[in-house]
Amino acid sequence: MTALLTVAGVSKRFGRVEALTGLTLSVAPGERVALLGHNGAGKTTLLRLILGFLRPDAGSIRVGDHAPDSTAARRAVAYLPENVAFPKALTGRELIGFYARLRDVSTDDAMAALERVGLAHAADRASGTYSKGMRQRLGLAQALLGSPRLMLLDEPTSGLDPLSRHDFYALVDVVAAAGTAVLLSSHSLSEIEARTDRVAILREGRLVADAPLSRLQAEAALPVRIRVRAQPETIDDVSDRLGGTRVNGQTVELIFSQTEKMRRLAAISALGPLVTDFDVTQPSLDDIYVHFSRAAGEGGAS
Amino acid sequence: MTSHVIAVARQEFRIAARNRWVLLAALILLVFALVLGLLGSAPSGSLGVGRLAITVASLATLSVYLVPLLALLLGFDAIAGEVERGTLPLVLSTPVARGSVILGKFLGHLAVIALAIVIGFGIAGAAVMVLSGEGASGLIPLARLIASSIALGAVFLAVSYVVSASTTQVGTSAAVAVAVWLALVVLYDLGLLGALVLDPGGGFAQGAFPWMLLASPADAFRLFNLAALDIGNTATGLAGATEELPFSPALCLASLALWLALAFLAALRAFYRLEP
Ligand SMILES: Nc1ncnc2c1ncn2[C@@H]1O[C@H](COP(=O)(O)OP(=O)(O)OP(=O)(O)O)[C@@H](O)[C@H]1O
Ligand SMILES: [Mg+2]
């Protein structure tokens, strides 16, 4: 499948700040890619480059076969900025109608977009009365107008409650299933709920990872942690036999790699009644993210 | 594209109407105009000019200060504010051309200003006409005042877009807009006045002065209205400036048109350079 969005070796600096360095990334039709990074990592800068608002100092960007600032590219792209504050006095219907006219989309299609994000019931209320989640959905409705081929969403789920976030990703799934390429930015892996096909991690303007989540999990090879509890009288014995470290009077902590997991569990169960309880902590999505965004270079940027 | 221009213009007008901007601007103009019209028209008979003509003269002086201020207030936020609120990046991510966006904003805002002027000055003019029992003779100066006030508003709207598109923060934009108003409307006149005072020989008054009036949009506007009323000296004390103008008053309109064209081009240029 040929990529819809191609970013090749793009660098961008603002005065002394090197916002992006030699960034290469592509997104295919129907693909959902999450762009992760800390504050100031360069996520918004990348999206603004793709929109043609900024020009790269080096490298090239193509949307389909078009340059980013061309009319053809802008017809193909939809954008949801990081923080939009719509004119408070205007209603949802008026706002979506306005963006529809700019995109040469009919009023009916505009209302259909409001319905898709579940905002039809509030269409005639001033947007100033909307909750944050409703405003975000209005922004998303605007991005749905005219069946874009590439959606650029800057932190679309920050500040949304888990339910709204779930609805949001359900909508992204539908859009992507219809062939739209989706590139969305976020601050953490846990926020995107493993709902994207690929994860690209930016660290200080450099791409430090670009792979499906499962591969990142495997590559990171983060250790498993097991905490074993025992009686205070037997805790030293348990600690010696398992080779862990004592955390307090009745807990021993073991940290080891994924491949050792079964062997260690067998050793623990062999202790029989000496062990009163234990719990296993797998590395979380956030742990994986922290691993890649801390350990630059080791992340296997591809 | 025309449909994009109309969409943006309608949106801007709608926002201003919904925010009570139109109402407020019209009220401000109306109150000032009524006060000037009703107070200022008392000693009219002795001058041999109609009450409405006197009213128009004082309204022109009011317009010089208020209309540019209203235009700058309406325009300073137009671009910088939308960048800050994230709505301009949204608009510019659609296939709309930047030229259409700024032209649409201009037309929408100009409609706001025009409506406020027509309501404010129209009602005040009608009140004076009814009270003075004069016929329709004063209608032409009033219409001229209203039309040229709208032109003055257009000039300062374009100027406000230059300010708004060249500054990236609304706060800065507001400060610069106020400074522009002070410089173009107040300080420029004070400077000219100072030059007149410091020039006992009268060479300046005879030579450069009228042309310097012409060069400023605010003074060109005032000159145009007063010259047409034939009461320039009495109403302004500008030492016969309108009496012996070395050019036709119509040139004042050309000055406004030139200002508008240049300011709009500068606004376009700044807007095309903007990185939203
Ligand atoms: N217009 C600008 N002028 C100067 N520096 C800028 C500009 N825009 C961005 N930067 C800098 O570029 C870097 C990347 O910023 P960017 O906004 O892309 O980060 P981000 O990943 O979107 O961060 P956040 O998660 O906080 O939104 C930052 O160091 C920022 O200060
Ligand atoms: Mg950002």
Side-chain angles (χ1 to χ4, degrees), chain A residues 88-113:
Chain A
K88 287 190 170 59
L90 299 191
T91 66
R93 188 192 300 274
E94 286 167 337
L95 286 165
I96 198 78
F98 171 61
Y99 295 109
R101 273 188 287 278
L102 294 188
R103 289 196 175 274
D104 303 314
V105 168
S106 76
T107 319
D108 288 347
D109 289 350
M111 275 314 288

Side-chain angles (χ1 to χ4, degrees), chain A residues 143-224:
Chain A
L144 291 171
L145 291 170
S147 320
R149 289 163 61 210
L150 172 64
M151 271 174 111
L152 304 172
L153 310 171
D154 202 352
E155 292 179 32
T157 56
S158 76
L160 292 190
D161 66 49
L163 209 64
S164 310
R165 207 156 65 190
H166 186 84
D167 290 348
F168 166 80
Y169 281 109
L171 198 59
V172 166
D173 290 348
V174 173
V175 169
T180 299
V182 181
L183 179 62
L184 59 91
S185 80
S186 174
H187 281 136
S188 71
L189 260 181
S190 53
E191 196 174 290
I192 61 165
E193 298 176 348
R195 294 290 288 269
T196 58
D197 301 312
R198 201 143 52 80
V199 175
I201 301 180
L202 273 179
R203 181 179 168 276
E204 288 174 5
R206 288 169 200 274
L207 201 64
V208 293
D210 179 10
L213 185 58
S214 54
R215 217 174 84 203
L216 291 185
Q217 257 160 342
E219 266 178 34
L222 291 180
V224 186

Side-chain angles (χ1 to χ4, degrees), chain A residues 14 17 19 37-46 48 82 155 187:
Chain A
F14 298 104
V17 181
H38 54 85
N39 288 118
K43 304 181 293 292
T44 303
T45 302
L46 176 60
R48 290 171 74 209
E82 200 164 352
E155 292 179 32
H187 281 136

